[in-house]
Amino acid sequence: MKAILIVCDGLGDRPIKELGGKTPLEGAKTPNLDRLAREGICGLVHTLGVGLRPGSDTSHLALFGYDPGVYYHGRGPFEAAGIGMDLKPGDVALRGNMGTVDEKLVVLDRRAGRIRDTSPYAKALDGMVIDNIKFEVKPGTGHRVGVVMRGRGLSSRISDPDPHEIGVRVHEARPLDGTRDAKFTAVVLNKFLEESHLILKELKANEQRVKEGSPPGNYLLIRGAGYVAEIPSFEERYGLKAACIAGAGLYKGVARLLGMDVIKVEGATGLPDTNVEAKFRTAVKALKQYDFIFIHVKGADSLGEDGNYKGKKEFIEKIDKAAKTLLGLKDTFIVITADHSTPCALKMHSGDPVPLLINGPGVRVDEVREYGERNCMKGGLGHIRGLDLMPELVNLMGRARLIGA
Amino acid sequence: MKAILIVCDGLGDRPIKELGGKTPLEGAKTPNLDRLAREGICGLVHTLGVGLRPGSDTSHLALFGYDPGVYYHGRGPFEAAGIGMDLKPGDVALRGNMGTVDEKLVVLDRRAGRIRDTSPYAKALDGMVIDNIKFEVKPGTGHRVGVVMRGRGLSSRISDPDPHEIGVRVHEARPLDGTRDAKFTAVVLNKFLEESHLILKELKANEQRVKEGSPPGNYLLIRGAGYVAEIPSFEERYGLKAACIAGAGLYKGVARLLGMDVIKVEGATGLPDTNVEAKFRTAVKALKQYDFIFIHVKGADSLGEDGNYKGKKEFIEKIDKAAKTLLGLKDTFIVITADHSTPCALKMHSGDPVPLLINGPGVRVDEVREYGERNCMKGGLGHIRGLDLMPELVNLMGRARLIGA
């Protein structure tokens, strides 16, 4: 038995007047998803709990069965892992941009003119050691970078040095609690940022930019410090050899931190123009090597955040077309759900539960005929939490561990 | 976005043969409640958990999102706050009656002839200090009083000095656990009751009563010791400026302890003759000043405890008539539920889940056409716990805090 889990980011929504009181998913023509629902079992998922409004990182941890209360200590590690950085328990990771500051350290441009490649900048800073803490710096996409701090006595309980706006001076990291580790981490990080600024100011690559009239990348604007906890791998936990197919870094990062392989797919962009069908086709092929494929599809979330209900509905129809690839697979469970709702009316994540369908051999097929928020309400799985999804799936696959004797 | 939460005390019930197998709510004609349900989303609430039988205090804490396991340490504080006493963390509060005892401290009358005003009695005892513990004593309604103990080292783990029956000697407070605080609290309280008795025996007001042939108020019969815990205010927790409209003291007390303002309404009695419409009208007006109004309506509970299913059904119809005031409000969520069931067949609180409707902009309207226990079973909110209600509401209002990033 194998499984494909498709997380359609931000899929859930609320009734929209212009769609005749339907949600984008309810309004979309989705014959393939409907068929999967009709021949499967459905329900609603409260990823973090009833009414709780999930971030993208916490909701994915919950869907994979990892309690965010235990395993989530800030976003940094997931972003760093997403750009291929290797992390160890005890590390503190941050994400950030190459930015531009003036002589008084006032932020002029948070992205240094949307600098295209931060490799030379990252390389100039990578490997610095301060007070026995080693700093790893790697380029992300575009103007982005990842920073990993490694050594003893680190904490993620520090404030963001990135002021998140222009026209103000960069911040110093401050400890957010009274522990020695938080104070130490803030002190070391501030020394690193100061030292980095001196190095970046003199960097060759910046000389060139200034000549061209582009803002130099002379300051690391970093945020989202996260502590890397001991985390059992997905395979250890469920006995499933797993891989991830995603466009955006964060989701690859979550998958990598759980020990999943990441499969690269041509045309998977993390944007509404992404090639959903290529992702699904790649997943089906990868089932030969893996037991479990996690596919992340971002588009519906971005369109929800724009309030673009028409675009969201059309993107869902694009997912549906691609889902044809998933019909008729043997000995395979297809799970389609979301990490959270992104109602077009709110233009942000919400705590409204998300639809869930599980299609696969032997499930108790229920009366849900179409895949949608209010149809799934009546499904046989009822209302579950995100943390319940993997146990439910592993059980349906006949691979659950016996509790007791 | 604003919200009105209406808690119809003891609303839930069980099928009653004489009502054709319907519950009082199902049997009542409730066109306005039905409309709110039809245009809203419904569900069932297990206020404390499945099958758990809630008290009035614990169930309200849960509905407001405060775990009774953390914040409930006895009823006293809620009653004391309900009669306007100010409480501080660390206080122990008790409620009680002015009673009548003979020379051997045997209880002759638990309410001292239903004495009408305990002000002179409370005043005579208020402010006493024993072993560094200060006693505040304030009059409640009729024969009732509130007692607050303030100082270091207090515990609510003591037995009731009130023997709860006549013809027996008053009890001494005894520690209910082995802690020094419980022992100390019992000792100090017993000294206070002894000293109080000496003062009350000599009180002018009692001379007058004895002359008239009325039983004197010569002993404080107190019970329900409760510890006042640190409790974050409702506004702190949800960012909602809140007010309470209630007839009975306990509910005002819960609201005051959570930092809500209490709005007085003429004709709100806490009895089945209460003016429900005046309460609803006052709430709608108060929405100008507040984000959240909690309305408590007591009648259905009292009638359920009398086993008076006909009266309960009629009282529900009275609520329904008043609910007309709530139709068509803009940018406002109307939540109608109960703190617990009070089945007429049992004549007491039960753990049967209570119906819930949430009506407001953008909710995923479900297929429930009428407000009732068994219709709400099929609602889109499913089964939730009392603690889930506020997160759900705050999420629907678009005001939930993001968890993660």
Side-chain angles (χ1 to χ4, degrees):
Chain A
M1 288 293 170
K2 310 246 167 167
I4 298 177
L5 165 64
I6 300 165
V7 179
C8 304
D9 204 308
L11 178 65
D13 213 300
R14 295 181 181 178
I16 291 167
K17 213 174 138 189
E18 290 82 354
L19 297 178
K22 294 186 170 184
T23 67
L25 175 58
E26 290 168 352
K29 274 186 199 137
T30 54
N32 296 312
L33 298 179
D34 294 348
R35 179 169 156 196
L36 286 166
R38 200 159 54 241
E39 299 173 356
I41 184 167
C42 293
L44 286 178
V45 186
H46 302 260
T47 39
L48 297 190
V50 174
L52 302 183
R53 190 158 86 89
S56 296
D57 36 25
T58 49
S59 59
H60 276 80
L61 280 176
L63 288 175
F64 292 133
Y66 291 78
D67 187 343
V70 176
Y71 297 107
Y72 183 75
H73 307 279
R75 178 148 174 162
F78 304 102
E79 293 282 354
I83 60 172
M85 297 181 81
D86 285 320
L87 297 163
K88 291 185 174 54
D91 289 353
V92 163
L94 302 98
R95 59 174 175 147
N97 309 336
M98 285 310 312
T100 309
V101 299
D102 67 14
E103 301 94 65
K104 288 177 175 167
L105 300 185
V106 170
V107 179
L108 300 176
D109 188 326
R110 286 194 64 241
R111 299 178 189 87
R114 289 201 176 267
I115 207 165
R116 290 243 178 116
D117 176 14
T118 59
S119 301
Y121 304 84
K123 203 175 161 191
L125 307 177
D126 190 35
M128 206 189 293
V129 177
I130 296 174
D131 296 345
N132 287 320
I133 300 301
K134 185 176 176 190
F135 286 81
E136 290 190 3
V137 186
K138 300 288 176 203
T141 52
H143 52 276
R144 296 182 190 85
V145 291
V147 175
V148 172
M149 304 173 69
R150 180 164 301 149
R152 287 206 177 184
L154 293 173
S155 164
S156 60
R157 301 284 299 141
I158 55 166
S159 64
D160 286 349
D162 179 357
H164 295 266
E165 55 181 326
I166 59 167
V168 300
R169 198 180 182 283
V170 297
H171 292 174
E172 292 212 317
R174 285 186 326 276
L176 293 177
D177 62 30
T179 61
R180 206 165 66 173
D181 288 357
K183 279 180 216 159
F184 171 68
T185 307
V187 167
V188 177
L189 185 58
N190 290 329
K191 285 186 193 170
F192 166 74
L193 291 173
E194 205 174 317
E195 183 70 21
S196 295
H197 180 49
L198 296 177
I199 294 169
L200 293 169
K201 272 205 296 192
E202 307 302 325
L203 204 68
K204 264 260 167 80
N206 273 331
E207 270 176 42
Q208 185 58 30
R209 285 185 73 78
V210 172
K211 252 186 226 164
E212 286 167 4
S214 304
N218 61 11
Y219 205 91
L220 274 178
L221 293 171
I222 53 177
R223 58 187 176 276
Y227 183 82
V228 180
E230 286 277 0
I231 192 162
S233 78
F234 191 85
E235 187 168 351
E236 235 173 277
R237 200 140 184 178
Y238 304 113
L240 299 170
K241 193 166 152 50
C244 154
I245 292 174
L250 175 68
Y251 312 98
K252 297 184 212 173
V254 175
R256 286 195 73 222
L257 274 175
L258 302 183
M260 296 184 195
D261 288 343
V262 174
I263 301 176
K264 211 176 137 60
V265 174
E266 213 56 52
T269 60
L271 300 169
D273 71 357
T274 194
N275 191 341
V276 183
E277 205 183 321
K279 287 163 106 169
F280 289 5
R281 252 189 289 113
T282 306
V284 172
K285 269 188 217 156
L287 284 179
K288 279 178 204 146
Q289 282 169 270
Y290 296 96
D291 304 309
F292 179 92
I293 313 284
F294 153 54
I295 306 176
H296 181 266
V297 182
K298 180 79 178 165
D301 178 53
S302 322
L303 292 158
E305 287 192 334
D306 293 342
N308 182 354
Y309 56 83
K310 200 163 156 280
K312 187 168 175 181
K313 185 180 133 204
E314 285 165 7
F315 186 76
I316 292 167
E317 290 174 345
K318 182 174 169 177
I319 296 176
D320 181 75
K321 277 211 184 77
K324 204 167 175 188
T325 320
L326 305 171
L327 300 178
L329 295 178
K330 263 203 171 172
D331 297 336
T332 304
F333 286 83
I334 305 291
V335 183
I336 303 181
T337 189
D339 49 352
H340 53 76
S341 295
T342 305
C344 291
L346 295 183
K347 299 185 178 182
M348 61 179 194
H349 294 194
S350 85
D352 304 63
V354 295
L356 165 67
L357 78 79
I358 302 183
N359 180 297
V363 301
R364 294 178 182 165
V365 175
D366 58 25
E367 291 173 10
V368 176
R369 314 288 299 164
E370 288 175 23
Y371 187 56
E373 290 88 341
R374 280 173 288 188
N375 284 311
C376 286
M377 267 181 195
K378 294 175 272 174
L381 291 166
H383 288 243
I384 67 170
R385 301 169 309 154
L387 285 176
D388 298 327
L389 179 63
M390 280 306 303
E392 182 68 73
L393 177 61
V394 168
N395 168 60
L396 289 172
M397 293 170 81
R399 301 180 70 141
R401 191 172 61 81
L402 189 67
I403 298 172
Chain B
M1 289 294 168
K2 309 246 167 168
I4 298 177
L5 165 65
I6 300 165
V7 178
C8 303
D9 203 308
L11 178 65
D13 212 301
R14 296 181 181 178
I16 291 167
K17 210 174 140 190
E18 292 81 354
L19 297 177
K22 293 186 169 183
T23 68
L25 175 59
E26 290 168 351
K29 273 187 198 140
T30 54
N32 296 311
L33 298 179
D34 294 348
R35 180 169 156 196
L36 287 166
R38 201 160 51 242
E39 299 172 356
I41 184 166
C42 294
L44 285 179
V45 187
H46 302 262
T47 40
L48 296 189
V50 174
L52 302 182
R53 192 160 84 91
S56 297
D57 35 25
T58 49
S59 59
H60 275 79
L61 281 176
L63 288 174
F64 292 133
Y66 291 78
D67 187 343
V70 175
Y71 296 108
Y72 183 75
H73 307 279
R75 178 145 175 163
F78 303 101
E79 294 282 354
I83 61 171
M85 298 181 81
D86 286 319
L87 298 164
K88 290 185 174 55
D91 290 353
V92 164
L94 303 99
R95 60 177 176 142
N97 308 336
M98 287 309 313
T100 309
V101 298
D102 67 14
E103 301 94 64
K104 288 178 175 167
L105 300 185
V106 169
V107 179
L108 300 175
D109 188 326
R110 286 194 64 242
R111 300 178 187 87
R114 288 202 176 265
I115 206 165
R116 288 244 181 117
D117 177 13
T118 59
S119 301
Y121 303 85
K123 205 175 159 190
L125 307 178
D126 191 34
M128 205 188 294
V129 178
I130 296 173
D131 296 346
N132 286 319
I133 300 301
K134 186 175 176 190
F135 286 82
E136 290 190 3
V137 186
K138 300 287 175 205
T141 51
H143 53 275
R144 296 182 189 86
V145 291
V147 175
V148 173
M149 305 173 69
R150 180 165 300 151
R152 287 205 177 183
L154 294 172
S155 164
S156 60
R157 301 283 300 140
I158 55 166
S159 65
D160 287 349
D162 178 357
H164 296 266
E165 54 181 327
I166 59 169
V168 300
R169 199 179 181 283
V170 297
H171 292 174
E172 292 211 318
R174 283 187 327 276
L176 293 177
D177 62 29
T179 62
R180 206 164 67 173
D181 288 357
K183 279 179 215 160
F184 171 68
T185 307
V187 166
V188 177
L189 185 59
N190 289 329
K191 285 186 193 171
F192 166 75
L193 291 174
E194 205 173 317
E195 183 71 21
S196 296
H197 180 50
L198 296 177
I199 294 169
L200 293 169
K201 274 204 296 193
E202 307 300 325
L203 205 69
K204 264 258 166 82
N206 273 331
E207 271 176 40
Q208 186 59 31
R209 286 185 73 78
V210 172
K211 253 186 226 161
E212 286 167 5
S214 303
N218 61 11
Y219 205 89
L220 275 177
L221 293 171
I222 54 178
R223 60 188 175 276
Y227 184 81
V228 180
E230 286 277 2
I231 192 161
S233 79
F234 190 85
E235 187 167 353
E236 234 173 278
R237 198 137 185 180
Y238 304 114
L240 300 170
K241 194 167 149 52
C244 154
I245 292 173
L250 173 69
Y251 311 98
K252 297 184 210 173
V254 175
R256 285 194 74 223
L257 274 176
L258 302 183
M260 297 186 195
D261 288 344
V262 173
I263 301 176
K264 214 177 133 62
V265 175
E266 214 58 50
T269 60
L271 300 170
D273 71 356
T274 194
N275 191 341
V276 182
E277 205 183 321
K279 288 165 103 168
F280 289 4
R281 253 189 288 111
T282 305
V284 171
K285 270 189 217 156
L287 283 179
K288 280 179 203 144
Q289 283 168 270
Y290 295 96
D291 305 311
F292 179 91
I293 314 284
F294 154 54
I295 306 176
H296 182 265
V297 182
K298 180 77 180 168
D301 179 53
S302 322
L303 293 157
E305 288 191 334
D306 294 343
N308 181 353
Y309 56 84
K310 200 163 156 280
K312 186 168 175 181
K313 185 181 135 205
E314 285 165 7
F315 186 77
I316 292 167
E317 289 173 346
K318 182 173 168 176
I319 296 176
D320 181 75
K321 278 211 183 75
K324 205 169 178 189
T325 319
L326 305 171
L327 300 178
L329 295 178
K330 263 203 170 171
D331 297 336
T332 305
F333 286 82
I334 306 290
V335 184
I336 303 181
T337 189
D339 51 351
H340 53 76
S341 295
T342 306
C344 292
L346 295 183
K347 300 186 176 183
M348 61 178 195
H349 295 194
S350 84
D352 305 61
V354 294
L356 164 67
L357 78 80
I358 303 184
N359 180 297
V363 301
R364 292 177 181 168
V365 176
D366 59 24
E367 291 173 9
V368 176
R369 314 288 301 165
E370 288 176 22
Y371 187 55
E373 291 87 341
R374 280 172 289 186
N375 284 311
C376 286
M377 265 183 198
K378 294 174 270 174
L381 292 166
H383 288 244
I384 67 171
R385 301 168 310 154
L387 285 175
D388 297 326
L389 179 63
M390 280 305 303
E392 182 69 72
L393 177 60
V394 167
N395 168 59
L396 288 172
M397 293 171 82
R399 302 180 69 142
R401 190 173 63 79
L402 189 70
I403 298 172

